[in-house]
Amino acid sequence: MAVCKSSSSGSLPESGMANAERLLVQPSDSVSGQLVSVKTVHRRAPTDLVELANEVNQANKFVRATAHSKLQQIAEQIRFLQEQAKHVLETAVQDGELHNAKCNFKKRPGTVYHLY
């Protein structure tokens, strides 16, 4: 690769220095269009199968761990929703008891009454 210095031109953005030199990398003619050797790619080592099996095993562990953490989060959400439902039912029972309490006056909405 050849490195050459070029002065700032109209196509490059100005950085405050009028005649600042910039390094530009020029493409080299010695680089071919093929970046990887075909011989190297098709050559397999005896340990490739073992490495592939290890990678598959690690991927399976990762998938299981991810699924486990998602299921654990869902379980926590279910517990929280159960607690909220229990609280709503307790409040409904209490409100029903207060609404059905016997009293010697007419109940009016918006008025606070104390039940002893």
Side-chain angles (χ1 to χ4, degrees):
M1 246 185 254
V3 178
C4 70
K5 291 185 179 182
S6 172
S7 63
S8 179
S9 66
S11 63
L12 294 175
E14 293 292 325
S15 65
M17 294 191 288
N19 294 327
E21 292 186 0
R22 300 187 190 273
L23 292 177
L24 299 176
V25 178
Q26 300 294 328
S28 176
D29 295 333
S30 64
V31 177
S32 66
Q34 187 173 3
L35 299 176
V36 179
S37 171
V38 177
K39 294 177 184 176
T40 307
V41 171
H42 293 294
R43 189 180 317 149
R44 290 186 173 83
T47 59
D48 284 349
L49 188 59
V50 174
E51 291 174 5
L52 180 63
N54 287 336
E55 287 181 22
V56 168
N57 190 19
Q58 287 177 347
N60 286 337
K61 286 180 183 179
F62 179 74
V63 168
R64 275 188 248 129
T66 303
H68 181 265
S69 66
K70 288 180 181 181
L71 289 173
Q72 194 171 23
Q73 184 179 13
I74 290 171
E76 290 173 9
Q77 290 173 350
I78 288 172
R79 277 187 236 112
F80 179 72
L81 290 173
Q82 285 175 336
E83 290 174 12
Q84 281 186 328
K86 182 179 177 183
H87 178 70
V88 166
L89 290 174
E90 289 173 353
T91 304
V93 168
Q94 184 182 16
D95 289 345
E97 289 175 356
L98 289 173
H99 181 69
N100 294 327
K102 294 181 181 179
C103 56
N104 294 331
F105 54 88
K106 185 176 179 180
K107 298 177 200 169
R108 294 184 185 163
T111 307
V112 178
Y113 299 104
H114 299 279
L115 181 66
Y116 297 101

Short mmCIF file of all heavy atoms in Angstrom, two decimals, residues 55-92:
data_model
loop_
_atom_site.label_atom_id
_atom_site.label_comp_id
_atom_site.label_asym_id
_atom_site.label_seq_id
_atom_site.Cartn_x
_atom_site.Cartn_y
_atom_site.Cartn_z
N GLU A 55 -18.27 -25.83 20.08
CA GLU A 55 -19.03 -24.62 19.79
C GLU A 55 -20.53 -24.89 19.83
O GLU A 55 -21.30 -24.08 20.35
CB GLU A 55 -18.63 -24.05 18.43
CG GLU A 55 -17.27 -23.41 18.43
CD GLU A 55 -16.89 -22.83 17.08
OE1 GLU A 55 -17.80 -22.56 16.27
OE2 GLU A 55 -15.69 -22.66 16.84
N VAL A 56 -20.95 -26.04 19.31
CA VAL A 56 -22.37 -26.40 19.36
C VAL A 56 -22.81 -26.59 20.80
O VAL A 56 -23.89 -26.15 21.21
CB VAL A 56 -22.63 -27.67 18.52
CG1 VAL A 56 -24.02 -28.24 18.77
CG2 VAL A 56 -22.43 -27.38 17.05
N ASN A 57 -21.96 -27.21 21.61
CA ASN A 57 -22.27 -27.43 23.02
C ASN A 57 -22.40 -26.09 23.75
O ASN A 57 -23.32 -25.89 24.54
CB ASN A 57 -21.18 -28.30 23.66
CG ASN A 57 -21.56 -28.75 25.05
OD1 ASN A 57 -22.74 -28.74 25.40
ND2 ASN A 57 -20.58 -29.17 25.83
N GLN A 58 -21.49 -25.16 23.47
CA GLN A 58 -21.55 -23.84 24.10
C GLN A 58 -22.80 -23.09 23.65
O GLN A 58 -23.44 -22.40 24.45
CB GLN A 58 -20.30 -23.03 23.78
CG GLN A 58 -19.06 -23.51 24.51
CD GLN A 58 -17.83 -22.72 24.10
OE1 GLN A 58 -17.84 -21.99 23.13
NE2 GLN A 58 -16.75 -22.88 24.86
N ALA A 59 -23.16 -23.22 22.40
CA ALA A 59 -24.38 -22.57 21.90
C ALA A 59 -25.61 -23.13 22.59
O ALA A 59 -26.52 -22.39 22.96
CB ALA A 59 -24.48 -22.74 20.39
N ASN A 60 -25.64 -24.46 22.79
CA ASN A 60 -26.77 -25.08 23.49
C ASN A 60 -26.86 -24.59 24.93
O ASN A 60 -27.95 -24.32 25.44
CB ASN A 60 -26.65 -26.61 23.46
CG ASN A 60 -26.98 -27.18 22.11
OD1 ASN A 60 -27.68 -26.56 21.31
ND2 ASN A 60 -26.48 -28.37 21.83
N LYS A 61 -25.71 -24.47 25.59
CA LYS A 61 -25.69 -23.95 26.96
C LYS A 61 -26.20 -22.51 27.01
O LYS A 61 -26.94 -22.13 27.91
CB LYS A 61 -24.28 -24.02 27.54
CG LYS A 61 -23.83 -25.41 27.90
CD LYS A 61 -22.42 -25.39 28.47
CE LYS A 61 -21.93 -26.79 28.77
NZ LYS A 61 -20.55 -26.77 29.30
N PHE A 62 -25.80 -21.73 26.04
CA PHE A 62 -26.25 -20.34 25.98
C PHE A 62 -27.75 -20.25 25.78
O PHE A 62 -28.44 -19.46 26.43
CB PHE A 62 -25.52 -19.59 24.87
CG PHE A 62 -25.94 -18.16 24.72
CD1 PHE A 62 -25.53 -17.22 25.65
CD2 PHE A 62 -26.75 -17.77 23.67
CE1 PHE A 62 -25.93 -15.90 25.53
CE2 PHE A 62 -27.15 -16.45 23.54
CZ PHE A 62 -26.74 -15.52 24.47
N VAL A 63 -28.28 -21.09 24.89
CA VAL A 63 -29.72 -21.10 24.64
C VAL A 63 -30.48 -21.51 25.89
O VAL A 63 -31.49 -20.91 26.25
CB VAL A 63 -30.06 -22.02 23.44
CG1 VAL A 63 -31.55 -22.28 23.33
CG2 VAL A 63 -29.53 -21.42 22.16
N ARG A 64 -29.98 -22.56 26.57
CA ARG A 64 -30.63 -23.00 27.81
C ARG A 64 -30.59 -21.93 28.88
O ARG A 64 -31.57 -21.70 29.58
CB ARG A 64 -29.96 -24.28 28.33
CG ARG A 64 -30.53 -25.52 27.67
CD ARG A 64 -30.01 -26.78 28.31
NE ARG A 64 -29.15 -27.41 27.31
CZ ARG A 64 -27.92 -27.82 27.50
NH1 ARG A 64 -27.37 -27.74 28.67
NH2 ARG A 64 -27.23 -28.36 26.52
N ALA A 65 -29.45 -21.25 29.02
CA ALA A 65 -29.32 -20.20 30.02
C ALA A 65 -30.26 -19.04 29.71
O ALA A 65 -30.90 -18.47 30.61
CB ALA A 65 -27.88 -19.71 30.10
N THR A 66 -30.36 -18.69 28.44
CA THR A 66 -31.25 -17.61 28.04
C THR A 66 -32.71 -17.98 28.32
O THR A 66 -33.47 -17.18 28.87
CB THR A 66 -31.07 -17.29 26.55
OG1 THR A 66 -29.70 -16.96 26.31
CG2 THR A 66 -31.94 -16.13 26.12
N ALA A 67 -33.10 -19.18 27.95
CA ALA A 67 -34.46 -19.64 28.19
C ALA A 67 -34.75 -19.69 29.70
O ALA A 67 -35.83 -19.29 30.14
CB ALA A 67 -34.69 -21.01 27.56
N HIS A 68 -33.78 -20.17 30.47
CA HIS A 68 -33.96 -20.26 31.92
C HIS A 68 -34.16 -18.87 32.52
O HIS A 68 -35.05 -18.68 33.36
CB HIS A 68 -32.74 -20.95 32.56
CG HIS A 68 -32.86 -21.09 34.04
ND1 HIS A 68 -32.32 -20.18 34.92
CD2 HIS A 68 -33.49 -22.01 34.80
CE1 HIS A 68 -32.59 -20.54 36.15
NE2 HIS A 68 -33.30 -21.66 36.11
N SER A 69 -33.36 -17.91 32.11
CA SER A 69 -33.50 -16.57 32.68
C SER A 69 -34.83 -15.93 32.28
O SER A 69 -35.47 -15.26 33.10
CB SER A 69 -32.33 -15.68 32.25
OG SER A 69 -32.37 -15.44 30.86
N LYS A 70 -35.28 -16.16 31.05
CA LYS A 70 -36.58 -15.62 30.63
C LYS A 70 -37.72 -16.28 31.41
O LYS A 70 -38.66 -15.60 31.84
CB LYS A 70 -36.79 -15.82 29.13
CG LYS A 70 -35.93 -14.90 28.29
CD LYS A 70 -36.16 -15.13 26.81
CE LYS A 70 -35.28 -14.22 25.97
NZ LYS A 70 -35.51 -14.41 24.53
N LEU A 71 -37.65 -17.59 31.60
CA LEU A 71 -38.68 -18.29 32.37
C LEU A 71 -38.68 -17.85 33.83
O LEU A 71 -39.74 -17.74 34.45
CB LEU A 71 -38.50 -19.80 32.26
CG LEU A 71 -38.83 -20.41 30.89
CD1 LEU A 71 -38.43 -21.88 30.86
CD2 LEU A 71 -40.30 -20.24 30.57
N GLN A 72 -37.50 -17.59 34.37
CA GLN A 72 -37.40 -17.12 35.74
C GLN A 72 -38.03 -15.74 35.88
O GLN A 72 -38.75 -15.47 36.85
CB GLN A 72 -35.93 -17.08 36.17
CG GLN A 72 -35.71 -16.93 37.64
CD GLN A 72 -34.24 -17.11 38.00
OE1 GLN A 72 -33.36 -16.94 37.17
NE2 GLN A 72 -33.98 -17.45 39.23
N GLN A 73 -37.83 -14.88 34.90
CA GLN A 73 -38.43 -13.56 34.92
C GLN A 73 -39.96 -13.67 34.82
O GLN A 73 -40.68 -12.96 35.52
CB GLN A 73 -37.89 -12.72 33.76
CG GLN A 73 -38.40 -11.31 33.74
CD GLN A 73 -37.82 -10.50 32.59
OE1 GLN A 73 -37.24 -11.07 31.67
NE2 GLN A 73 -37.99 -9.20 32.64
N ILE A 74 -40.45 -14.57 33.98
CA ILE A 74 -41.89 -14.78 33.86
C ILE A 74 -42.47 -15.29 35.18
O ILE A 74 -43.55 -14.86 35.61
CB ILE A 74 -42.21 -15.74 32.69
CG1 ILE A 74 -41.90 -15.05 31.36
CG2 ILE A 74 -43.65 -16.21 32.74
CD1 ILE A 74 -41.97 -15.97 30.16
N ALA A 75 -41.76 -16.18 35.85
CA ALA A 75 -42.22 -16.71 37.14
C ALA A 75 -42.31 -15.58 38.17
O ALA A 75 -43.28 -15.53 38.96
CB ALA A 75 -41.28 -17.81 37.63
N GLU A 76 -41.35 -14.69 38.19
CA GLU A 76 -41.40 -13.55 39.11
C GLU A 76 -42.59 -12.65 38.79
O GLU A 76 -43.27 -12.16 39.70
CB GLU A 76 -40.10 -12.75 39.03
CG GLU A 76 -38.90 -13.46 39.60
CD GLU A 76 -37.59 -12.71 39.37
OE1 GLU A 76 -37.64 -11.55 38.90
OE2 GLU A 76 -36.54 -13.28 39.66
N GLN A 77 -42.86 -12.44 37.52
CA GLN A 77 -44.00 -11.63 37.13
C GLN A 77 -45.31 -12.29 37.55
O GLN A 77 -46.24 -11.62 37.99
CB GLN A 77 -43.99 -11.39 35.61
CG GLN A 77 -42.88 -10.48 35.15
CD GLN A 77 -42.79 -10.38 33.64
OE1 GLN A 77 -43.44 -11.15 32.92
NE2 GLN A 77 -41.98 -9.46 33.16
N ILE A 78 -45.39 -13.62 37.43
CA ILE A 78 -46.59 -14.35 37.85
C ILE A 78 -46.80 -14.18 39.35
O ILE A 78 -47.93 -13.93 39.80
CB ILE A 78 -46.49 -15.84 37.46
CG1 ILE A 78 -46.64 -15.99 35.95
CG2 ILE A 78 -47.55 -16.68 38.19
CD1 ILE A 78 -46.38 -17.39 35.44
N ARG A 79 -45.71 -14.30 40.15
CA ARG A 79 -45.83 -14.10 41.60
C ARG A 79 -46.32 -12.70 41.93
O ARG A 79 -47.18 -12.51 42.79
CB ARG A 79 -44.49 -14.37 42.28
CG ARG A 79 -44.25 -15.84 42.53
CD ARG A 79 -43.00 -16.08 43.37
NE ARG A 79 -42.16 -16.97 42.59
CZ ARG A 79 -41.00 -16.68 42.04
NH1 ARG A 79 -40.46 -15.50 42.20
NH2 ARG A 79 -40.34 -17.56 41.33
N PHE A 80 -45.78 -11.70 41.23
CA PHE A 80 -46.20 -10.32 41.46
C PHE A 80 -47.67 -10.14 41.11
O PHE A 80 -48.42 -9.49 41.85
CB PHE A 80 -45.32 -9.36 40.64
CG PHE A 80 -45.69 -7.92 40.80
CD1 PHE A 80 -45.42 -7.25 41.98
CD2 PHE A 80 -46.33 -7.24 39.78
CE1 PHE A 80 -45.77 -5.92 42.14
CE2 PHE A 80 -46.68 -5.91 39.92
CZ PHE A 80 -46.40 -5.24 41.11
N LEU A 81 -48.11 -10.71 39.98
CA LEU A 81 -49.51 -10.60 39.58
C LEU A 81 -50.43 -11.33 40.58
O LEU A 81 -51.54 -10.86 40.86
CB LEU A 81 -49.71 -11.15 38.18
CG LEU A 81 -49.12 -10.30 37.05
CD1 LEU A 81 -49.23 -11.04 35.72
CD2 LEU A 81 -49.82 -8.96 36.97
N GLN A 82 -49.97 -12.45 41.13
CA GLN A 82 -50.76 -13.15 42.14
C GLN A 82 -50.93 -12.29 43.39
O GLN A 82 -52.02 -12.24 43.97
CB GLN A 82 -50.10 -14.48 42.51
CG GLN A 82 -50.26 -15.56 41.46
CD GLN A 82 -49.50 -16.82 41.80
OE1 GLN A 82 -48.52 -16.79 42.55
NE2 GLN A 82 -49.92 -17.94 41.23
N GLU A 83 -49.86 -11.62 43.80
CA GLU A 83 -49.95 -10.73 44.96
C GLU A 83 -50.92 -9.58 44.69
O GLU A 83 -51.71 -9.21 45.57
CB GLU A 83 -48.57 -10.18 45.32
CG GLU A 83 -47.62 -11.20 45.89
CD GLU A 83 -46.22 -10.63 46.11
OE1 GLU A 83 -46.04 -9.40 46.02
OE2 GLU A 83 -45.31 -11.43 46.38
N GLN A 84 -50.85 -9.01 43.49
CA GLN A 84 -51.78 -7.93 43.14
C GLN A 84 -53.22 -8.43 43.13
O GLN A 84 -54.12 -7.75 43.63
CB GLN A 84 -51.43 -7.35 41.78
CG GLN A 84 -50.28 -6.40 41.78
CD GLN A 84 -50.07 -5.76 40.42
OE1 GLN A 84 -50.34 -6.38 39.38
NE2 GLN A 84 -49.60 -4.53 40.42
N ALA A 85 -53.47 -9.62 42.59
CA ALA A 85 -54.82 -10.18 42.55
C ALA A 85 -55.33 -10.44 43.97
O ALA A 85 -56.51 -10.15 44.27
CB ALA A 85 -54.83 -11.47 41.74
N LYS A 86 -54.46 -10.93 44.83
CA LYS A 86 -54.84 -11.17 46.22
C LYS A 86 -55.22 -9.86 46.90
O LYS A 86 -56.24 -9.78 47.61
CB LYS A 86 -53.69 -11.85 46.97
CG LYS A 86 -53.99 -12.19 48.39
CD LYS A 86 -52.81 -12.88 49.06
CE LYS A 86 -53.09 -13.16 50.51
NZ LYS A 86 -51.93 -13.77 51.18
N HIS A 87 -54.45 -8.82 46.67
CA HIS A 87 -54.74 -7.51 47.25
C HIS A 87 -56.07 -6.96 46.73
O HIS A 87 -56.87 -6.41 47.50
CB HIS A 87 -53.60 -6.53 46.95
CG HIS A 87 -53.82 -5.16 47.47
ND1 HIS A 87 -53.80 -4.87 48.82
CD2 HIS A 87 -54.10 -3.99 46.83
CE1 HIS A 87 -54.04 -3.59 48.99
NE2 HIS A 87 -54.24 -3.02 47.80
N VAL A 88 -56.33 -7.11 45.43
CA VAL A 88 -57.58 -6.63 44.83
C VAL A 88 -58.77 -7.38 45.44
O VAL A 88 -59.80 -6.76 45.77
CB VAL A 88 -57.55 -6.79 43.30
CG1 VAL A 88 -58.92 -6.62 42.69
CG2 VAL A 88 -56.58 -5.80 42.69
N LEU A 89 -58.66 -8.68 45.62
CA LEU A 89 -59.75 -9.47 46.20
C LEU A 89 -59.99 -9.09 47.65
O LEU A 89 -61.15 -8.98 48.09
CB LEU A 89 -59.46 -10.97 46.08
CG LEU A 89 -59.51 -11.53 44.65
CD1 LEU A 89 -59.08 -12.99 44.63
CD2 LEU A 89 -60.92 -11.39 44.09
N GLU A 90 -58.93 -8.87 48.42
CA GLU A 90 -59.09 -8.46 49.82
C GLU A 90 -59.77 -7.10 49.90
O GLU A 90 -60.65 -6.88 50.74
CB GLU A 90 -57.72 -8.41 50.52
CG GLU A 90 -57.12 -9.77 50.78
CD GLU A 90 -55.70 -9.69 51.31
OE1 GLU A 90 -55.12 -8.58 51.34
OE2 GLU A 90 -55.16 -10.74 51.66
N THR A 91 -59.38 -6.18 49.03
CA THR A 91 -60.00 -4.86 49.01
C THR A 91 -61.47 -4.96 48.62
O THR A 91 -62.33 -4.26 49.19
CB THR A 91 -59.25 -3.94 48.02
OG1 THR A 91 -57.88 -3.90 48.38
CG2 THR A 91 -59.81 -2.53 48.02
N ALA A 92 -61.79 -5.82 47.66
CA ALA A 92 -63.18 -6.00 47.24
C ALA A 92 -64.04 -6.56 48.37
O ALA A 92 -65.18 -6.12 48.58
CB ALA A 92 -63.25 -6.91 46.02
#
